[in-house]
Amino acid sequence: MLKRLEELRAEATDLFGSASSENELEELRVRFLGRKSELNQMSRGLGGMDPSERKAVGQAVNALKKDLGAMLAAAQDRLAGGGGKPGLDLTLPGRRPWVGRRHPLMRTLARLEEIFTLLGFEVALGPHIEDDFHNFEALNIPADHPARDMHDTFYVEGDRLLRTHTSPVQIRTMMSRKPPIRIIAPGRVYRNETPDASHSAEFYQLEGLYVDRGVKFGELKGVLTRFLRELYGDDVAVRLRPGFFPFTEPSAEIDVECRVCHGKGCSVCKQTGWVELLGAGMVDPRVFRAVGYDPDEISGYAFGLGVDRICMMETGLDDIRLLMENDLRLLRQI
Ligand code: FA5
């Protein structure tokens, strides 16, 4: 029997070594390793064998089964053209692992924080669920102001609402600290508005507040111009337009030349060549009174900028909604 096993081994080595198709291999597998194969029958016959022979034959049968398995695998591998495992094609280009990184909005926020920190501002944070007092009342936004309307604000319950801007952080900071205060407050804000290419119902703002004795409008202009030059370079075109905010007087809107179309007009700048980035102004005396400061002694400036719009111009995206959709195919290209 041992002799027959050696014959089978020699035969199989030859045939597996020269097999030239998958079909041929399958036939060899059935013939040498299948249920009705000679080897399997020998294996089943072991029980009726003389115990003195059984051990040696059993070991030889098992060793041949193992070797036939290896011959089959090697032949499959050879036919697949690979070097290691069956079906492995070493000529295919490698797959690059994806490395995680910050969301573009978070990268923009970090850059803005970096610039303002260098300009002497510290970071302050506030809650996303605010109350009427901090979001509106203390900021001199009267009860009949349209911003308070359900059409513009998401109310949670009672006078609780999702903050519509980062300005309530001004109030919280002034009520808990004494001047001088020089803070920025970055964070997400929410407005009940119909989204379009440059308006989102959920976006990021960065608030700034500087309060001390004798602060002047020229300082506001100076710090924001410095900031925009740090961000876009010394040749950036900036314009200040008169504006209105209930919590600042005088107020200004600050625009920069659109970085996507360089002033030619596109969907980001609504064909005007300019993008409104900031609202700003001198803190209104009524706001100082609401937080317990004396407006005859203290003055200050505040500003609020739209982070998403800055991010859009940096990335060249022409629709603000893409920033919140988190489509990985797009984010990987930025
Ligand atoms: C405000 O929210 C004021 N709180 C800003 C401010 C702070 C003024 C301190 C004065 C002093 P406004 O609604 O204009 O202002 O928004 C400020 C900026 O947020 C805008 O210039 C714009 O860049 C961005 N922004 C406003 N609405 C949206 C929106 N729906 N989607 C994306 N960005 C927006």
Side-chain angles (χ1 to χ4, degrees):
M1 206 173 248
L2 287 172
K3 187 162 166 275
R4 178 63 193 141
L5 284 170
E6 279 320 301
E7 281 168 11
L8 276 177
R9 175 188 294 281
E11 208 180 328
T13 309
D14 248 17
L15 291 172
F16 276 115
S18 60
S20 58
S21 72
E22 294 282 340
N23 283 346
E24 206 179 322
L25 263 192
E26 179 56 14
E27 276 168 24
L28 291 176
R29 187 192 66 75
V30 173
R31 175 169 157 195
F32 286 100
L33 287 159
R35 210 157 38 87
K36 293 185 184 153
S37 65
E38 196 176 341
L39 192 64
N40 210 29
Q41 278 165 15
M42 284 181 176
S43 191
R44 271 191 257 144
L46 283 172
M49 243 179 192
D50 189 300
S52 58
E53 255 190 304
R54 194 193 299 150
K55 192 173 170 208
V57 177
Q59 278 174 350
V61 165
N62 285 337
L64 182 57
K65 265 192 196 166
K66 205 171 140 213
D67 292 348
L68 287 173
M71 283 179 213
L72 175 67
Q76 281 171 333
D77 192 17
R78 178 170 52 75
L79 287 183
K85 295 199 175 77
L88 182 71
D89 182 355
L90 293 178
T91 61
L92 282 175
R95 288 193 196 123
R96 195 155 54 95
W98 287 108
V99 181
R101 64 194 121 147
R102 273 184 166 174
H103 190 280
L105 263 173
M106 295 302 112
R107 287 211 306 264
T108 303
L109 255 184
R111 173 81 184 120
L112 302 182
E113 283 181 27
E114 184 187 49
I115 299 175
F116 280 112
T117 308
L118 287 172
L119 291 170
F121 289 78
E122 58 178 296
V123 176
L125 298 174
H128 290 212
I129 298 182
E130 265 298 358
D131 54 34
D132 186 90
F133 174 77
H134 292 91
N135 198 81
F136 295 129
E137 191 75 39
L139 286 160
N140 192 35
I141 301 177
D144 58 356
H145 194 282
R148 288 195 175 204
D149 201 285
M150 297 264 284
H151 296 299
D152 286 302
T153 303
F154 292 115
Y155 285 88
V156 181
E157 60 179 11
D159 79 336
R160 303 256 154 199
L161 48 93
L162 293 180
R163 66 180 181 187
T164 58
H165 49 175
T166 41
S167 301
V169 186
Q170 287 186 35
I171 304 299
R172 291 185 177 275
T173 310
M174 287 194 279
M175 289 183 83
S176 61
R177 286 164 56 174
K178 297 227 168 312
I181 291 173
R182 201 199 297 257
I183 55 141
I184 50 164
R188 205 185 270 218
V189 303
Y190 310 84
R191 288 186 195 178
N192 194 359
E193 68 180 308
T194 311
D196 62 26
S198 55
H199 290 83
S200 190
E202 233 180 307
F203 56 100
Y204 280 82
Q205 284 191 339
L206 185 137
E207 190 84 6
L209 174 73
Y210 176 42
V211 179
D212 203 350
R213 287 168 196 274
V215 180
K216 308 224 166 37
F217 192 88
E219 291 173 58
L220 168 64
K221 201 177 159 199
V223 92
L224 291 180
T225 308
R226 180 75 252 140
F227 157 70
L228 290 168
R229 286 190 179 153
E230 278 301 323
L231 193 62
Y232 294 129
D234 283 342
D235 60 343
V236 65
V238 180
R239 75 176 185 193
L240 266 77
R241 285 178 292 115
F244 173 78
F245 298 100
F247 35 94
T248 48
E249 181 59 37
S251 306
E253 309 252 21
I254 294 145
D255 304 340
V256 292
E257 192 183 74
C258 181
R259 312 298 288 179
V260 175
C261 64
H262 298 283
K264 290 195 193 78
C266 67
S267 67
V268 173
C269 60
K270 294 210 177 97
Q271 314 305 330
T272 62
W274 295 90
V275 174
E276 176 202 316
L277 282 192
L278 289 128
M282 301 304 288
V283 179
D284 194 285
R286 287 183 198 224
V287 175
F288 282 141
R289 279 190 215 104
V291 298
Y293 288 2
D294 180 353
D296 292 329
E297 280 189 18
I298 298 297
S299 60
Y301 63 72
F303 56 86
L305 62 85
V307 179
D308 302 59
R309 290 187 185 168
I310 294 181
C311 184
M312 279 170 83
M313 288 200 284
E314 251 167 38
T315 52
L317 288 179
D318 61 2
D319 194 317
I320 199 167
R321 290 165 289 195
L322 296 171
L323 284 172
M324 284 288 179
E325 275 173 10
N326 285 334
D327 183 338
L328 286 180
R329 289 168 307 175
L330 182 101
L331 292 177
R332 279 173 182 154
Q333 292 174 47
I334 298 178

